[in-house]
Amino acid sequence: MKNLYIETLGCQMNKSDSERISGILSHFGYVETDNEKEADMLIINTCSIRQLAADKAYSKLGVWGKWKKTRPELKIGICGCVAQQDKESIRQRAPYVDLIFGTHNIYELPSLIKRIENNEKVCAITNKPVVKNQNDFKIERKDSVNAWIPIIEGCNNFCTYCVVPFTRGRERSRKPDEIIEEAKNIIKDGFKEITLLGQNVDSYGKDLNDENITLANLLRDLNKLEGNFRIRFVTSYPSDITDDLISAVEECEKVCKYFHIPMQSGNSRILKEMNRRYTKEEYYQIVKKIRTRFPDVTITSDFIAGFPGETEEEFQDTLKAIDELELDYSNTAAYSPREFTKAAKMTDKFLSEQVKYERLEKLNEKNREVCLKSNEKFIGKILNVLVEGVTVKDETRVLNSRAGNNKIVHFEDNTKNIGDFANVKITKAQTWCLYGEPVG
Ligand code: SAH
Ligand code: SF4
Ligand code: F3S
């Protein structure tokens, strides 16, 4: 038995990848530990969406490299989006690394592991993904309630700021049968929530050349599986949300009434510069359509502050959009230039760090304001929640839970446990969470 430590940066797709990496390595006698100091193998699964995330990977490698000086038998690996993109600089900056593998090479690990155990230095990064039936390998899921299923990987959109098409390649959908089999295993193992993952989850099936294979139909098929569980899907691209998808969400009682639809900017000129395939008005229409179909739906978004050439007025359009659309929550970030992307070449239009971070702060302030307003709307309503955690404070049992619409709800209860569903009447709202009392 050997100890494996994996540190995961970045998005849910990376978290899901790490669970799969850990599962594959378990076939070779590696057991995951939370304590990096007792590991025989250290792996960092990296993100390169912004410079800050990429820098974190290198600083961690630096620390681990020092450890290896006194413990040369320690194996160090790096994978994920920085690895896929940056193998040359990794070799230069961290020559002691034993294993570099890309996002396309996870299923090559069985042979790579044998090679590093023979003290070879290995680098496996290809542009063509190594594809295997994922159900042939164990998955070491981290959460006991929610299980991720990646259904489509990669992106064909090439938004001008974004590195993902370069780190994850073009869109590749998994076969519906393989996904359903994974879902059945998840339900059998007692998970209560399945989250379907994709950089553009609503593009699911487009590359499989069968018009019946769509996200909407996949939701319908999963909804038919027996068991008490719920289904989520992220991330949606605004103009790819079809009427059929909205209908499927409505029909399927297990599918949560929740949409994550990044808008990125509230100004149509900036959206065009970003190569987003919708205008501000079209985004407004999509939100309106969803809100009229589902009364208690929540819609969350992502925004970038300070895209090259963004004027103060154009930035104000973003703040206005967040208000007018009553968005329930948004992830926010200051624009960070990424290698290979078009926007990174617009250097003459770059804004100063100061302007970007001032705008980011205003975005965050607006976000806090609309989040509180959104939460207050639920006071007096009853939400069905899934218990994710229990904290005991001064002998009172407080349950941390999540509603179908993704709101975090805390309530006191002595009967429910992690993995139980409950109906909770909301009594109090704060910026990031709700409080309530169990009913019925
Ligand atoms: N596929 C999703 C987004 C995936 S990336 C979509 O199309 O909406 C996650 C988020 O990171 C993006 O929504 C964007 O807001 C942010 N992001 C991506 N590239 C960025 C960059 N260069 N600088 C700042 N934020 C960025
Ligand atoms: Fe990046 Fe755009 Fe693809 Fe989203 S749709 S992953 S932002 S290129
Ligand atoms: Fe980061 Fe790669 Fe995800 S760049 S956000 S880990 S797809």
Side-chain angles (χ1 to χ4, degrees):
M1 235 177 59
K2 288 155 282 185
N3 286 326
L4 164 71
Y5 175 83
I6 305 187
E7 184 146 327
T8 309
L9 306 171
C11 64
Q12 293 154 332
M13 190 64 94
N14 257 19
K15 293 195 175 103
S16 168
D17 283 348
S18 286
E19 294 178 345
R20 281 150 217 267
I21 291 165
S22 174
I24 295 172
L25 293 186
S26 74
H27 293 278
F28 297 86
Y30 286 91
V31 177
E32 213 176 324
T33 165
D34 292 334
N35 180 358
E36 56 187 327
K37 297 239 161 84
E38 65 178 32
D40 304 292
M41 164 125 63
L42 296 158
I43 295 179
I44 182 143
N45 190 0
T46 59
C47 170
S48 87
I49 202 81
R50 288 180 283 277
Q51 192 55 44
L52 208 67
D55 291 344
K56 266 193 206 159
Y58 285 108
S59 72
K60 194 81 219 189
L61 277 187
V63 172
W64 289 350
K66 284 195 190 119
W67 296 0
K68 196 173 163 84
K69 281 194 184 138
T70 51
R71 290 174 53 205
E73 74 288 356
L74 188 63
K75 302 285 183 214
I76 300 178
I78 174 168
C79 61
C81 289
V82 172
Q84 182 71 32
Q85 211 190 349
D86 234 14
K87 69 174 166 195
E88 292 310 324
S89 11
I90 295 169
R91 273 268 160 269
Q92 275 167 14
R93 291 173 72 170
Y96 46 84
V97 164
D98 298 280
L99 174 63
I100 308 174
F101 63 103
T103 54
H104 293 17
N105 304 84
I106 291 174
Y107 287 90
E108 223 180 317
L109 271 176
S111 64
L112 305 179
I113 281 305
K114 287 182 198 143
R115 286 169 58 197
I116 65 162
E117 287 187 341
N118 282 329
N119 295 322
E120 225 185 288
K121 293 241 187 266
V122 173
C123 176
I125 292 164
T126 53
N127 292 326
K128 199 170 167 278
V130 177
V131 183
K132 293 271 167 66
N133 183 338
Q134 301 192 18
N135 297 322
D136 291 344
F137 300 89
K138 264 199 223 153
I139 302 167
E140 296 287 345
R141 299 191 189 274
K142 285 276 160 61
D143 197 307
S144 59
V145 174
N146 174 66
W148 315 111
I149 307 186
I151 63 166
I152 174 169
E153 200 185 335
C155 180
N156 296 354
N157 283 323
F158 289 92
C159 302
T160 54
Y161 52 82
C162 182
V163 79
V164 170
F166 303 94
T167 62
R168 292 277 172 178
R170 294 304 81 73
E171 286 169 5
R172 297 153 336 257
S173 302
R174 284 171 76 194
K175 301 259 162 35
D177 294 351
E178 196 187 312
I179 295 169
I180 305 243
E181 191 187 332
E182 185 171 333
K184 283 182 180 162
N185 291 336
I186 286 168
I187 300 159
K188 199 174 67 206
D189 290 342
F191 291 91
K192 295 298 168 63
E193 184 176 88
I194 291 175
T195 305
L196 307 178
L197 292 181
Q199 272 85 27
N200 295 294
V201 77
D202 24 32
S203 286
Y204 174 70
K206 282 183 190 162
D207 55 318
L208 295 178
N209 301 319
D210 175 345
E211 61 182 35
N212 291 316
I213 303 180
T214 60
L215 176 61
N217 287 340
L218 182 66
L219 290 176
R220 290 183 177 108
D221 288 344
L222 291 169
N223 191 63
K224 279 184 215 138
L225 297 179
E226 255 173 64
N228 192 16
F229 67 97
R230 63 189 189 187
I231 306 165
R232 300 183 180 283
F233 58 92
V234 281
T235 298
S236 292
Y237 189 95
S239 46
D240 290 341
I241 298 177
T242 60
D243 288 345
D244 191 38
L245 176 64
I246 296 175
S247 298
V249 173
E250 193 168 37
E251 285 158 36
C252 298
E253 75 285 354
K254 291 185 173 112
V255 175
C256 295
K257 310 313 177 215
Y258 166 68
F259 289 81
H260 182 58
I261 326 172
M263 187 187 196
Q264 311 300 357
S265 163
N267 176 275
S268 295
R269 187 191 79 84
I270 293 294
L271 288 172
K272 192 147 182 256
E273 289 282 300
M274 289 175 161
N275 193 31
R276 300 289 284 185
R277 293 180 277 105
Y278 53 88
T279 60
K280 170 192 142 184
E281 288 75 21
E282 283 159 345
Y283 186 93
Y284 272 57
Q285 272 158 18
I286 294 155
V287 167
K288 195 171 158 206
K289 202 190 285 181
I290 294 172
R291 289 228 193 266
T292 45
R293 286 285 272 278
F294 310 104
D296 285 342
V297 73
T298 51
I299 300 177
T300 58
S301 185
D302 297 352
F303 288 97
I304 297 176
F307 182 81
E310 182 188 65
T311 65
E312 179 59 30
E313 260 179 358
E314 288 165 338
F315 171 67
Q316 290 296 329
D317 287 345
T318 294
L319 297 181
K320 213 161 101 194
I322 298 177
D323 257 337
E324 290 176 349
L325 296 164
E326 296 181 32
L327 293 173
D328 295 281
Y329 171 81
S330 297
N331 300 308
T332 58
Y335 169 72
S336 166
R338 308 310 297 136
E339 207 185 350
F340 306 126
T341 61
K342 266 196 179 161
K345 299 187 184 85
M346 306 175 182
T347 46
D348 54 329
K349 295 190 208 149
F350 277 9
L351 304 182
S352 69
E353 292 297 299
Q354 195 193 338
V355 168
K356 285 195 290 187
Y357 281 92
E358 274 169 16
R359 288 186 189 169
L360 177 62
E361 191 33 54
K362 284 183 196 152
L363 257 185
N364 290 340
E365 203 182 299
K366 176 59 68 193
N367 191 30
R368 285 191 291 270
E369 189 187 311
V370 293
C371 276
L372 180 60
K373 237 194 252 167
S374 154
N375 282 348
E376 284 169 346
K377 280 193 302 206
F378 289 95
I379 293 177
K381 289 196 172 171
I382 294 171
L383 295 177
N384 185 253
V385 303
L386 173 57
V387 178
E388 294 181 341
V390 181
T391 25
V392 182
K393 238 195 290 176
D394 307 331
E395 286 172 36
T396 323
R397 245 167 126 262
V398 180
L399 305 184
N400 314 315
S401 72
R402 198 176 288 268
N405 65 11
N406 217 33
K407 293 279 180 194
I408 292 168
V409 181
H410 301 299
F411 65 105
E412 287 175 18
D413 190 297
N414 287 323
T415 60
K416 299 282 181 188
N417 287 303
I418 292 176
D420 287 343
F421 286 97
N423 286 323
V424 177
K425 185 168 183 187
I426 304 306
T427 51
K428 191 173 115 187
Q430 285 182 349
T431 306
W432 306 126
C433 65
L434 296 168
Y435 294 85
E437 294 160 355
V439 288

